[in-house]
Amino acid sequence: MKFIRIILFPLVPIYYVVTYLRNKLFDYGVFKSKSYDVPVICVGNLSTGGTGKTPMIEYLITLLKENKSVAALSRGYKRNTEGFLLAGENSTVESIGDEPYQFHNKFQDIKVAVDADRQNGIESLLKLNDAPEIILLDDAFQHRRVKAGFNILLTSYDKPYYKDFVLPTGNLREPQVGRKRADVVIVTKCKPTLNEDEKATILERLHLNDKQSAFFSYIDYSDVVLNSDNALKLEALSKFTLVTGIANPKPLVDYLTNQGLTFDHIEYPDHHNFRSHEIDLLLKKELILTTEKDFVRLKSIKGFEKNLFYLPIRFRLDDASKFEAIIKNYTD
């Protein structure tokens, strides 16, 4: 795969120019963007994934839902339905996608909807009798037809946008200059030992302007693993199989390794649809540990009731009070 990306390097300037010009046409109003009267917060990235958008959306939901009615709108990647769909009691991973299903499963007091056309999705939500007061857009930074009132750009500590190239050789969906559209940039999945000198170096390389704010975030892992019925102490796991279908499993793998745990790792692509022979292989494993996103896709399969667990995580910001004040100032 890396070799293919290297030989495709001559296509990088073409991709760069096309995406750059597309953004300029939106900036100059040739391509139209639509704004809305309700607060719309977009969470996205310049890269193709692995920056932690799902924990960020969940953080915002938890922050806002106590005082406002909130809706989360996603594309619903790899779902088997089309158009606008509002999550309900009969929704499945297949019908709305894994991440929206996780939001719906976890936060019963908000609206979760999917629509590849974000304009149509927002307008459909606003037509509801109990329309939301705040809309969170999941992975919509490049969806320029919607002009979000507030943009949160995520970039991972281990591969920040300033160390990356645009597709197809790199992982950037658009050139780094796209960062200028962000109101807030968050460096995600930082190491716990990140010091102030390292932060200063990163901030300098992010090339933000005076109107933009930057934060550093961390993933805190639980000391227990869960399934629908049971909880086990992480340290009590003698041997298990780690199964991941996420864009960047490295932080999780590193954490488990540093805990001195013994495991083998079966890695699948992000949003992987498990096939029957893969399911048969996994059912033979004595104990499986996975991510929450993978858990919601696998838990309903017969045979996984007892041996499938996930490791909960918590999204933590280094200056949470400042960030929360910025968000509440926008949404109030």
Side-chain angles (χ1 to χ4, degrees), residues 12-27:
V12 166
I14 298 172
Y15 186 92
Y16 184 104
V17 170
V18 169
T19 53
Y20 179 83
L21 290 177
R22 173 184 180 270
N23 279 321
K24 283 299 179 184
L25 291 172
F26 274 107
D27 293 341

Side-chain angles (χ1 to χ4, degrees), residues 38 69-71 111 122 124-135:
V38 300
S69 60
V70 177
K111 290 179 174 61
I122 292 173
S124 297
L125 283 167
L126 295 179
K127 288 177 183 176
L128 297 173
N129 291 331
D130 53 344
E133 298 173 284
I134 299 172
I135 297 176

Side-chain angles (χ1 to χ4, degrees), residues 142-211:
Q142 284 75 38
H143 201 95
R144 298 293 307 273
R145 290 182 62 236
V146 168
K147 184 175 177 60
F150 196 89
N151 284 289
I152 299 174
L153 178 67
L154 308 182
T155 187
S156 65
Y157 169 81
D158 63 339
K159 197 162 189 180
Y161 57 69
Y162 56 78
K163 289 185 179 180
D164 209 345
F165 294 96
V166 296
L167 293 165
T169 298
N171 291 310
L172 297 185
R173 298 170 174 174
E174 60 173 297
Q176 296 178 29
V177 69
R179 70 184 181 275
K180 293 182 178 181
R181 301 197 307 275
D183 296 283
V184 163
V185 175
I186 301 179
V187 182
T188 62
K189 302 182 179 180
C190 296
K191 62 181 182 179
T193 57
L194 187 67
N195 60 47
E196 295 303 316
D197 288 340
E198 290 175 290
K199 288 182 182 180
T201 300
I202 293 170
L203 288 173
E204 183 177 355
R205 299 190 70 182
L206 290 175
H207 296 295
L208 304 183
N209 60 50
D210 293 339
K211 295 181 179 180

Side-chain angles (χ1 to χ4, degrees), residues 5-256:
R5 286 194 166 209
I6 291 172
I7 64 175
L8 290 176
F9 185 77
L11 298 178
V12 166
I14 298 172
Y15 186 92
Y16 184 104
V17 170
V18 169
T19 53
Y20 179 83
L21 290 177
R22 173 184 180 270
N23 279 321
K24 283 299 179 184
L25 291 172
F26 274 107
D27 293 341
Y28 293 140
V30 178
F31 292 167
K32 301 299 180 182
S33 297
K34 188 171 182 178
S35 57
Y36 297 88
D37 293 334
V38 300
V40 176
I41 301 176
C42 168
V43 175
N45 40 225
L46 297 181
S47 67
T48 53
T51 57
K53 293 184 296 295
T54 300
M56 182 75 245
I57 291 287
E58 292 185 351
Y59 184 96
L60 290 170
I61 292 171
T62 303
L63 173 65
L64 297 168
K65 71 184 181 69
E66 296 304 319
N67 298 311
K68 300 279 188 177
S69 60
V70 177
L73 176 62
S74 300
R75 173 187 174 187
Y77 186 63
K78 285 194 174 182
R79 62 186 172 119
N80 60 14
T81 57
E82 295 182 358
F84 176 80
L85 191 62
L86 185 66
E89 60 181 18
N90 295 320
S91 296
T92 64
V93 172
E94 292 74 23
S95 65
I96 62 174
D98 51 11
E99 288 159 349
Y101 184 80
Q102 180 174 320
F103 301 149
H104 175 61
N105 191 57
K106 202 174 207 177
F107 302 100
Q108 298 292 319
D109 50 353
I110 74 160
K111 290 179 174 61
V112 176
V114 292
D115 198 331
D117 183 340
R118 306 303 169 87
Q119 272 195 15
N120 184 69
I122 292 173
E123 289 159 12
S124 297
L125 283 167
L126 295 179
K127 288 177 183 176
L128 297 173
N129 291 331
D130 53 344
E133 298 173 284
I134 299 172
I135 297 176
L136 307 177
L137 298 182
D138 177 27
D139 195 13
F141 197 72
Q142 284 75 38
H143 201 95
R144 298 293 307 273
R145 290 182 62 236
V146 168
K147 184 175 177 60
F150 196 89
N151 284 289
I152 299 174
L153 178 67
L154 308 182
T155 187
S156 65
Y157 169 81
D158 63 339
K159 197 162 189 180
Y161 57 69
Y162 56 78
K163 289 185 179 180
D164 209 345
F165 294 96
V166 296
L167 293 165
T169 298
N171 291 310
L172 297 185
R173 298 170 174 174
E174 60 173 297
Q176 296 178 29
V177 69
R179 70 184 181 275
K180 293 182 178 181
R181 301 197 307 275
D183 296 283
V184 163
V185 175
I186 301 179
V187 182
T188 62
K189 302 182 179 180
C190 296
K191 62 181 182 179
T193 57
L194 187 67
N195 60 47
E196 295 303 316
D197 288 340
E198 290 175 290
K199 288 182 182 180
T201 300
I202 293 170
L203 288 173
E204 183 177 355
R205 299 190 70 182
L206 290 175
H207 296 295
L208 304 183
N209 60 50
D210 293 339
K211 295 181 179 180
Q212 295 174 301
S213 299
F215 297 87
F216 296 85
S217 75
Y218 310 81
I219 295 296
D220 287 339
Y221 294 96
S222 173
D223 60 355
V224 298
V225 298
L226 306 174
N227 67 12
S228 301
D229 302 310
N230 297 302
L232 299 174
K233 276 287 193 179
L234 179 63
E235 62 185 19
L237 303 185
S238 57
K239 188 175 182 181
F240 59 90
T241 298
L242 175 67
V243 174
T244 60
I246 56 176
N248 181 18
K250 186 177 183 299
L252 175 57
V253 172
D254 289 346
Y255 174 77
L256 295 173

